[in-house]
Amino acid sequence: MTALLRPATLWLLLLSCLVAGCVDPQQRSAVEAPAHPLLNQVWSTGAQRFIGIDELQQALAEADFVLLGENHDNPSHHQLQARIIASLPWQGTAVAGFEQINSDQAAALEAWLQAAPEGTSGLAAALDWEQWGWPDWALYQPVFAAVLARGWRPLDLMFPAATVRAVLSGGLEAALGADVIEQLQADTPFSREQRLEMQALMADSHCGRMPPEHLAAMVDVQIARDAYMAWRLASSGRRAVVITGNGHARHDWGVPLFLRRLKPEAKVVSIAMTEVAADRLQPAAYATAQPAWSDYSIFTPAHDRGDPCAGIQPGPGLAP
């Protein structure tokens, strides 16, 4: 097992050095002797093996779009995203698309960028970050800092909450024009099995407390979000790294599916940040580590959420 751990561990250590300087011996020991056998390893889903820095760097160097899936509230995921952005072997300019920024914030973001600020000071206030329900700004600040340090522009990827409600009542046309829908083939039905799987994931993520009659509509919203993000990325005309949830980064029905429809010649690489579980010791036990979901899975510590269902109340309404 030691031989398997070494390539991925070296890669993560190198990324750490790129951002914050090399780790001290005590930190190095902790990384090299993880409590969980998968922790800090990088798994190639296509090759079905662990890989090292050279192989991953080559894949990223050739990519047009790199999606960095996350669990939104896991600090280690955002730290890792920042390190990957800092080390991406890309020349020239690129954009960084954020699911967490919607079109209602675009004007404020542009004004902030035009002011030529140093670092990320004032960016959270400009975006009115707390209003939108994302985890604490301190988690995302390193990601934005890494993007700006590369000279790349943050790009809003999401439509506003009002559009979510419009999609629920009016379908995809509320988020995307007819010409865009035609390009995306976004109205092409997913299989019954796929939609049922999506509904099951929606139900699980809402702790089984979402009214069943709303699940199908929420699947439509998910599809609209993925299609819209793909359209925004393709329209940017540049290479892009994407900060989004693991569900949006999956190949089989997420943003990559629609990117391939818009830009079939583009190379899309999806990386899933995968939290380890004590009772799952092999990559085969993780959905995010399968080819249908990602190209690469990086195994990270799990985030202690307490009871994630404690604050979710049953009811007839849908959150935007």
Side-chain angles (χ1 to χ4, degrees), residues 151-286:
W152 298 348
R153 293 179 67 85
L155 176 70
D156 57 289
L157 287 188
M158 189 50 61
F159 46 67
T163 303
V164 173
R165 292 186 285 271
V167 170
L168 287 171
S169 60
L172 293 174
E173 290 80 1
L176 303 161
D179 57 334
V180 177
I181 289 177
E182 183 177 358
Q183 294 178 58
L184 287 165
Q185 304 170 51
D187 55 349
T188 301
F190 287 86
S191 70
R192 180 176 181 273
E193 290 73 20
Q194 284 179 312
R195 291 190 68 93
L196 287 174
E197 185 178 352
M198 290 183 194
Q199 289 185 35
L201 288 173
M202 292 286 181
D204 182 65
S205 66
H206 290 80
C207 301
R209 298 175 187 176
M210 178 180 287
E213 63 270 19
H214 290 153
L215 291 174
M218 288 304 294
V219 168
D220 289 338
V221 171
Q222 181 81 359
I223 293 170
R225 283 173 166 156
D226 291 332
Y228 184 86
M229 285 194 280
W231 173 70
R232 288 286 292 153
L233 290 165
S235 300
S236 74
R238 293 185 176 179
R239 285 178 134 178
V241 62
V242 183
I243 306 300
T244 189
N246 274 323
H248 292 297
R250 58 187 296 165
H251 276 297
D252 49 2
W253 68 56
V255 175
L257 170 67
F258 296 107
L259 274 175
R260 291 193 297 271
R261 291 178 177 178
L262 288 171
K263 288 184 168 291
E265 75 288 353
K267 182 174 177 59
V268 181
V269 174
S270 178
I271 299 176
M273 311 290 176
T274 302
E275 295 184 337
V276 296
D279 58 344
R280 290 182 284 164
L281 305 181
Q282 297 296 327
Y286 296 83

Side-chain angles (χ1 to χ4, degrees), residues 8-231:
T9 301
L10 289 174
W11 176 70
L12 290 174
L13 287 171
L14 176 60
L15 292 178
S16 298
C17 288
L18 287 171
V19 177
C22 291
V23 295
D24 62 36
Q26 184 175 2
Q27 290 174 312
R28 186 184 303 276
S29 175
V31 172
E32 290 181 347
H36 192 286
L38 294 179
L39 191 61
N40 298 329
Q41 294 207 62
V42 183
W43 175 256
S44 168
T45 66
Q48 290 288 288
R49 59 181 174 82
F50 299 103
I51 65 169
I53 182 173
D54 292 342
E55 189 169 343
L56 184 63
Q57 291 284 75
Q58 181 178 355
L60 297 183
E62 297 170 354
D64 298 294
F65 300 99
V66 172
L67 288 87
L68 302 178
E70 66 181 35
N71 288 90
H72 300 308
D73 61 351
N74 190 321
S76 66
H77 289 190
H78 302 299
Q79 294 162 10
L80 186 53
Q81 287 169 335
R83 294 167 185 167
I84 291 174
I85 290 167
S87 67
L88 269 174
W90 288 356
Q91 301 298 320
T93 59
V95 297
F98 285 84
E99 174 197 355
Q100 298 78 14
I101 308 177
N102 65 58
S103 57
D104 279 349
Q105 300 164 285
L109 173 62
E110 182 61 26
W112 185 86
L113 291 170
Q114 290 297 325
E118 294 184 4
T120 59
S121 177
L123 180 54
L127 294 174
D128 201 6
W129 184 267
E130 293 183 359
Q131 171 185 328
W132 301 101
W134 294 103
D136 191 87
W137 166 253
L139 297 182
Y140 282 90
Q141 186 275 337
V143 184
F144 281 93
V147 169
L148 296 170
R150 294 292 304 259
W152 298 348
R153 293 179 67 85
L155 176 70
D156 57 289
L157 287 188
M158 189 50 61
F159 46 67
T163 303
V164 173
R165 292 186 285 271
V167 170
L168 287 171
S169 60
L172 293 174
E173 290 80 1
L176 303 161
D179 57 334
V180 177
I181 289 177
E182 183 177 358
Q183 294 178 58
L184 287 165
Q185 304 170 51
D187 55 349
T188 301
F190 287 86
S191 70
R192 180 176 181 273
E193 290 73 20
Q194 284 179 312
R195 291 190 68 93
L196 287 174
E197 185 178 352
M198 290 183 194
Q199 289 185 35
L201 288 173
M202 292 286 181
D204 182 65
S205 66
H206 290 80
C207 301
R209 298 175 187 176
M210 178 180 287
E213 63 270 19
H214 290 153
L215 291 174
M218 288 304 294
V219 168
D220 289 338
V221 171
Q222 181 81 359
I223 293 170
R225 283 173 166 156
D226 291 332
Y228 184 86
M229 285 194 280
W231 173 70

